[in-house]
């Protein structure tokens, strides 16, 4: 199923209220977004040009510590939809459970898709896919263990959409190696998901093929300008990483009052095991707080981190047992 967080229209339909009444913790999007300065009017009035893309890529190469060929796209999702077209459909293996768009996009392109439960089982695939750190459980692997897969698969796609706070895990610095593709999302860590900006890194041949498929103007002018500014601000990135690292345990303490057990997570979200995930979601929904549950588990619930003390206070009030 292609279910996603951020579906406040569904929340409002089920539990009432308008979207503006809800605190949306159902995604892994930073709720303290980058403080974007005004963008130049040209970013809105002119077609995106090569110079603006070059400036964005220069900032991205510094942020991601790479000189690999790189293509900006309208979110990591755009890359997920293009990568299956790089080669004739074959056997894909995905380390799961994970973000469901990888499997959906591959199947839509005719690939035979198998979900596997451990890294070693990816070997032998024409295309091996993993999200790193994983969504929703935050699973991580030593980079050398991922590199060791390269000669054993046709291509290795590593989705690093939640890796901004964990540069030591990233394979972006070596993404120019043939057979390796690395995805990065801009909108999650920078809290600007509506801009639709992401990147795919890989060999020169693969990136050129993806660029031809994407066509001209694959990224909007505002996204090019905003990405250039935000990715250049390394002080903000460091401060945000520190804040998120401190706030994860704060959320764990609130969840523990409900008897929820930490089951994993990353800097931008936490995953908890509950007695009944739907009941847990409904408990929060009565306070107009939306969370994420999964069709493949009746016990797991994921929460993003609140943004600012008012949101923390609201969640604190909601995360109290009905019968203490």
């Amino acid at each position: 199923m292609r279910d996603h967080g951020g579906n406040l229209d569904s929340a409002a339909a089920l539990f009432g209220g308008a979207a503006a009444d809800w605190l949306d913790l159902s995604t892994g999007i930073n709720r303290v977004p980058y403080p974007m300065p005004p963008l130049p009017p040209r970013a809105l009035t002119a077609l995106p040009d090569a110079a603006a893309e070059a400036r964005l890529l220069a900032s991205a190469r510094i942020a991601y510590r790479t000189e690999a060929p790189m293509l900006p796209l309208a979110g990591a999702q755009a890359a997920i939809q293009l990568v299956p077209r790089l080669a004739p459909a074959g056997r894909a293996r995905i380390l799961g459970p994970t973000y469901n768009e990888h499997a959906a996009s591959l199947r839509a392109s005719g690939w035979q898709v198998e979900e596997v439960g451990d890294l070693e089982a990816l070997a032998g695939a024409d295309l091996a896919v993993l999200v790193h750190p994983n969504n929703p459980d935050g699973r991580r692997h030593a980079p050398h263990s991922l590199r060791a897969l390269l000669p054993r698969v046709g291509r290795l796609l590593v989705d690093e959409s939640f890796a901004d706070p964990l540069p030591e895990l990233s394979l972006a610095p070596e993404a120019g190696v043939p057979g390796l593709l690395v995805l990065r999302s801009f909108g999650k860590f920078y809290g600007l998901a509506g801009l639709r900006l992401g990147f795919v890194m890989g060999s020169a041949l693969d990136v050129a093929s993806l660029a031809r498929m994407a066509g001209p103007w694959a990224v909007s002018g505002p996204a090019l300008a905003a990405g250039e500014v935000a990715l250049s601000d390394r002080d903000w990135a460091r401060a945000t990483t520190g804040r998120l690292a401190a706030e994860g345990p704060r959320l764990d303490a609130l969840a523990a009052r409900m008897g929820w057990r930490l089951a994993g997570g990353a800097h931008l979200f936490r995953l908890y095991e509950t007695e009944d995930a739907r009941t847990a979601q409904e408990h929060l929904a009565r306070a107009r707080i939306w969370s994420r549950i999964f069709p493949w588990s009746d016990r797991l619930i994921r929460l993003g981190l609140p943004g600012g003390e008012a949101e923390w206070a609201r969640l604190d009030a909601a995360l109290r047992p009905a019968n203490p």
Side-chain angles (χ1 to χ4, degrees):
M1 294 177 61
R2 298 177 81 150
D3 64 298
H4 304 93
N7 54 335
L8 285 184
D9 50 353
S10 297
L14 286 169
F15 299 100
D21 300 327
W22 285 79
L23 169 56
D24 188 5
L25 301 184
S26 69
T27 76
I29 297 167
N30 187 355
R31 291 194 59 81
V32 184
Y34 184 78
M36 184 57 58
L39 299 178
R42 179 177 171 76
L44 284 166
T45 60
L47 284 171
D49 59 27
E53 181 173 312
R55 292 193 297 271
L56 169 67
L57 289 174
S59 296
R61 288 195 171 96
I62 293 171
Y64 301 144
R65 304 176 305 129
T66 187
E67 292 299 321
M70 184 187 308
L71 177 67
L73 290 165
Q77 179 64 34
I80 290 170
Q81 293 174 207
L82 289 178
V83 165
R85 297 164 52 193
L86 269 177
R91 296 170 304 153
R93 291 179 183 158
I94 300 174
L95 188 62
T98 193
Y99 181 56
N100 59 43
E101 282 295 329
H102 287 286
S105 294
L106 284 161
R107 289 191 177 106
S109 293
W111 285 74
Q112 175 188 335
V113 179
E114 178 187 2
E115 184 176 294
V116 299
D118 63 80
L119 202 61
E120 184 64 22
L122 293 172
D126 298 310
L127 176 63
V129 179
L130 73 149
V131 179
H132 195 225
N134 190 45
N135 172 20
D137 61 10
R139 250 184 309 177
R140 305 172 191 179
H141 307 275
H144 69 82
S145 64
L146 305 186
R147 287 192 292 267
L149 278 171
L150 277 172
R152 305 168 68 196
V153 299
R155 278 187 177 85
L156 174 64
L157 174 63
V158 183
D159 181 345
E160 296 185 348
S161 288
F162 290 99
D164 290 72
L166 298 164
E168 67 278 8
L169 290 186
S170 177
L171 291 189
E174 50 207 280
V177 174
L180 176 62
L181 292 164
V182 177
L183 306 187
R184 297 298 286 253
S185 168
F186 170 80
K188 294 179 178 65
F189 181 71
Y190 289 89
L192 298 169
L195 279 174
R196 308 310 305 139
L197 178 62
F199 301 87
V200 57
M201 293 162 256
S203 68
L205 184 61
D206 280 350
V207 170
S209 295
L210 291 166
R212 285 193 295 272
M213 286 188 270
W217 314 303
V219 176
S220 72
L224 292 174
E228 176 195 349
V229 172
L231 288 166
S232 297
D233 193 340
R234 306 316 300 153
D235 289 340
W236 183 90
R238 282 187 289 270
T240 296
T241 296
R243 176 183 61 79
L244 294 170
E247 290 182 346
R250 182 179 181 182
L251 182 53
D252 296 341
L254 298 184
R257 296 191 314 210
M258 300 289 293
W260 300 354
R261 296 168 293 281
L262 182 64
H267 281 69
L268 284 166
F269 59 84
R270 310 296 268 186
L271 184 70
Y272 300 105
E273 183 179 0
T274 71
E275 293 300 318
D276 185 293
R278 190 164 299 279
T279 297
Q281 184 181 58
E282 290 174 358
H283 175 89
L284 288 171
R286 285 191 288 272
R288 299 288 192 270
I289 297 173
W290 196 227
S291 56
R292 179 82 160 90
I293 59 175
F294 305 92
W296 44 266
S297 172
D298 59 5
R299 297 174 66 89
L300 293 175
I301 187 170
R302 192 192 69 188
L303 293 178
L305 274 63
E309 286 305 315
E311 291 190 2
W312 277 102
R314 187 170 169 182
L315 184 61
D316 183 298
L319 282 179
R320 296 181 183 275
N323 298 299

